[in-house]
């Protein structure tokens, strides 16, 4: 671990384009995002505009009598101009403030006006992120996520990094029910992922390795048969995993987890940096994933479901919400303990699937098991990629038992504990049918009792 | 709490089946869908240069699948059932792929009551429960409108009593 101050990880690049903060815009305390926002948005669109211009657009305009190069330049300026103009209109409309009840209010929308009120007692996560082009201006965007189905977030684009952080702290403090000027909570670095481990772990994921082996196979066949068909397949099966590895490496580079009184904070990213703060008690379910080739180092990936986060992220579809992309087992379990204090993996009594399960799942049947204690239910499955999912009883949304025709013939049934949308699913497939039904009924009871002791709103006010 | 059933998929006392009118409603929708097949067969018969066996084959496949689906609807509707217990609602469905959902009242986020045009004609209504999990699939089709409205109100009241955030 370097001696670097954890709060500096993922800071802006600056590049001498640092712009001064501006204060609130009117007497009632309504604030605006930074006036440089339209320019940043215009610059951000540049690569796309250049791509478009040189792929197609230059040709069309050159027919109107301009040279190809001049045509391309005109098109780029046009696109950037439109983006800046529209960005300016949006900037003029967008205001945000805290209302009398201490909730965050945001007015936005050029054509369709939208007035949104975020009930901060239902806050799920706050992200401060710096897309690459915004970083050049040391600008950042703030995303505030509350519980709700569908689109239940606001995105404030762009603030200076200092403003974004101050606003994040204010949102967290108000959500916790403590004084709004509490300032930034001191934080404690828990774990940091070395770049080498990240790269190696991404390359050794089961999916990556399978696809790369497949493309090696295609290449061998291509060489041996001197045909060309296999080459195209190999480009796809080889190209896709390499793209995934590179993009995940850039995304999770420098991953660091730290703990602050206002929540667990994760920071990551090489070009685009992100800082996500998840207040205590917001994690709905947790999963430890261990691909086959990670076991040599006993590495684990820790994923979580957080209500509303990553479910319909319009930037990049479904994004994984990670507590760590890769960590040694002991470290990962320590992180899980921070999220669910009092959980003891070794004390869990696993109830396995019956032996006849091997006729339904010949590979993973030995691993399938379910366990529970006073606080959580856990399921275990997968032999090549091992998965261990944990859900607190108080976070159980509903319980399902399903049975397909083959399971029915073997008197097996699958148990599912439903959790909010996200990468984790809590499933124990192919258990003994009556055992599954029994566990399901008991789980419904435990869920009912577990909810009594729920303290996830205004967590610091107790 | 006493088990209502010993096996998840055998419904016993305390279970409510859905209205048999749902069978009629679904068979009408099925028949309307198959009108499309009839149209295709007629077109194939009218168009010249199409060998006669083509429309006959289409018609044959149509009749076989129609009879099968007709019969399946009866069985599927009988497979739906629900039971209101002290702290949760049970919803069961399916023949080949059977499913039973337990939804604690306190976890319900909203209850939908809906009916399409054919359903309204025949007086059947669907009640659907939503929790914060998208995977909760608790849909009870084929309730009489009065029963559906009463169920919704009971569920809403119990949900309110036991609600505890996420």
């Amino acid at each position: 671990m370097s001696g670097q101050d954890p709060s500096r990880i993922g800071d802006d690049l600056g590049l001498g384009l640092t712009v001064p903060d501006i204060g609130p815009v009117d007497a009632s305390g309504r604030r605006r995002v930074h006036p440089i926002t339209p320019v940043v948005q215009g610059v951000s669109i540049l690569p796309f505009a250049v791509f478009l211009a040189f792929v197609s657009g230059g040709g069309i305009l050159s027919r109107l009598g301009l040279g190809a190069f001049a045509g391309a330049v005109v098109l780029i300026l046009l696109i950037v101009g439109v983006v800046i103009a529209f960005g300016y209109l949006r900037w003029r409309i967008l205001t945000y403030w805290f209302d009398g009840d201490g909730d965050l209010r945001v007015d936005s929308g050029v054509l369709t006006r939208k007035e949104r009120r975020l009930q901060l007692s239902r806050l799920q996560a706050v992200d401060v992120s710096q897309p690459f082009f915004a970083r050049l201006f040391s600008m950042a965007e703030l995303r505030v996520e509350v519980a709700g189905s569908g689109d239940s977030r606001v995105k404030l684009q762009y603030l200076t990094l200092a403003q974004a952080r101050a606003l994040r702290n204010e949102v967290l403090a108000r959500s916790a029910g403590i004084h709004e000027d509490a300032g930034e909570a001191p934080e404690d670095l828990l774990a940091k992922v070395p770049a080498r481990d990240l790269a190696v772990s991404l390359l050794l994921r089961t999916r990556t390795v399978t696809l790369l082996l497949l493309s090696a196979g295609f290449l061998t066949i291509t060489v041996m048969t001197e045909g060309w068909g296999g080459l195209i397949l190999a480009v796809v099966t080889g190209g896709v995993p390499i793209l995934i590895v590179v993009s995940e490496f850039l995304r999770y580079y420098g991953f660091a987890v730290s703990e602050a009184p206002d929540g667990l904070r994760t920071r990551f990213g090489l070009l685009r940096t992100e800082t996500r703060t998840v207040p205590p008690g917001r994690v709905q379910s947790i999963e430890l994933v261990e691909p086959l080739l990670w076991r040599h180092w006993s590495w684990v990936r820790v994923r979580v479901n957080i209500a509303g986060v990553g479910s319909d992220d319009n930037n990049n579809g479904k994004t994984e919400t990670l507590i760590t992309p890769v960590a040694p087992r002991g470290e990962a379990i320590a992180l899980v303990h921070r999220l669910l204090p009092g959980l003891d993996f070794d004390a869990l009594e696993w109830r396995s699937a019956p032996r006849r399960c091997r006729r339904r799942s010949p590979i993973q049947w030995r691993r399938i098991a379910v366990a529970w204690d006073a606080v959580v239910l856990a399921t275990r499955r997968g032999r090549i990629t091992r998965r261990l999912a944990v859900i607190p009883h108080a976070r159980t949304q509903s319980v399902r038992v399903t049975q397909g025709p083959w399971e029915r013939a073997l008197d097996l049934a699958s148990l599912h504990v439903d959790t909010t949308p996200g990468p984790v699913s809590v499933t124990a497939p192919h258990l003994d049918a009556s055992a599954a039904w029994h566990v399901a009924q008991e789980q419904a009871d435990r869920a009912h009792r577990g909810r009594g002791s729920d303290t996830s709103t205004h967590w610091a006010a107790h | 709490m006493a088990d209502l059933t010993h096996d998840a998929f055998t419904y016993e006392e305390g279970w409510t089946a859905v209205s048999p009118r749902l069978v009629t409603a679904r068979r009408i929708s099925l028949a309307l869908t198959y009108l499309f097949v009839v149209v295709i067969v007629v077109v194939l018969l009218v168009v010249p240069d199409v060998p006669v066996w083509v429309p006959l084959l289409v018609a044959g496949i149509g009749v076989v699948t129609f009879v099968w689906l007709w019969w399946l609807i009866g069985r599927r509707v009988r497979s739906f059932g629900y039971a209101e217990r002290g702290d949760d609602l049970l919803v069961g469905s399916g023949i080949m792929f059977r499913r039973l959902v337990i939804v604690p009242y306190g976890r319900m986020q909203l209850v939908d009551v809906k009916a399409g045009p054919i359903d309204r004609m025949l007086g059947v209504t669907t009640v659907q429960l939503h929790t914060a999990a998208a995977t909760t699939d608790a849909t009870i089709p084929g309730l009489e409108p009065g029963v559906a409205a009463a169920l919704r109100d009971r569920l809403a009241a119990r949900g309110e009593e036991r609600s505890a955030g996420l």
Side-chain angles (χ1 to χ4, degrees), chain A residues 306 324 329:
Chain A
I306 298 163
T324 179
R329 198 175 166 80

Side-chain angles (χ1 to χ4, degrees), chain A residues 91-107:
Chain A
W91 173 81
R92 283 199 34 181
I93 307 282
L94 183 70
T95 56
Y96 65 94
W97 72 100
F98 291 97
D99 67 11
D101 298 332
D103 288 336
L104 180 64
R105 302 281 298 265
V106 180
D107 285 2

Side-chain angles (χ1 to χ4, degrees), chain A residues 24 42 70 111 117 151 164 191 217 229 253 264 279 289 293 302 321 337 344 372 377 418:
Chain A
L111 296 175
R117 173 184 179 153
D151 175 24
Y253 178 86
L264 208 62
V289 186
L293 296 173
V302 183
T321 34
H337 280 297
D344 185 1
W372 58 90
L377 179 126
D418 294 313

Side-chain angles (χ1 to χ4, degrees), chain A residues 188-190 259 264 280-281 332-342:
Chain A
D188 201 8
L189 184 66
L190 298 178
E259 192 181 44
L264 208 62
I333 287 181
L335 287 173
V336 174
H337 280 297
R338 300 277 173 162
L339 299 170
L340 289 175

Side-chain angles (χ1 to χ4, degrees), chain B residues 56-68:
Chain B
L56 283 182
L57 184 72
V58 173
I61 294 172
V63 167
V64 170
T65 55
F66 183 78
V67 169
W68 181 63

Side-chain angles (χ1 to χ4, degrees), chain B residues 14-111:
Chain B
W15 280 86
T16 316
V18 303
S19 162
R21 272 184 285 174
L22 181 64
V23 178
T24 323
R26 293 209 164 174
R27 283 184 178 159
I28 291 175
S29 320
L30 178 73
L32 289 178
T33 318
Y34 268 79
L35 277 183
F36 186 63
V37 178
V38 174
V39 170
I40 290 178
V41 171
V42 169
V43 167
L44 286 175
L45 281 172
V46 171
V47 173
D49 303 336
V50 177
V52 176
W53 61 266
V54 174
L56 283 182
L57 184 72
V58 173
I61 294 172
V63 167
V64 170
T65 55
F66 183 78
V67 169
W68 181 63
L69 288 171
W70 184 273
W71 170 78
L72 200 64
I73 284 172
R75 289 199 58 196
R76 280 221 62 177
V77 167
R78 276 197 300 280
S79 80
F80 286 112
Y82 67 96
E84 294 167 68
R85 303 200 300 185
D87 295 317
D88 44 41
L89 180 82
L90 308 188
V91 182
S93 65
I95 319 161
M96 283 274 276
F97 293 88
R98 303 197 288 185
R99 164 187 14 241
L100 187 118
V101 194
I102 311 177
V103 188
Y105 295 130
R107 299 273 107 167
M108 289 185 313
Q109 300 240 316
L110 52 104
V111 183

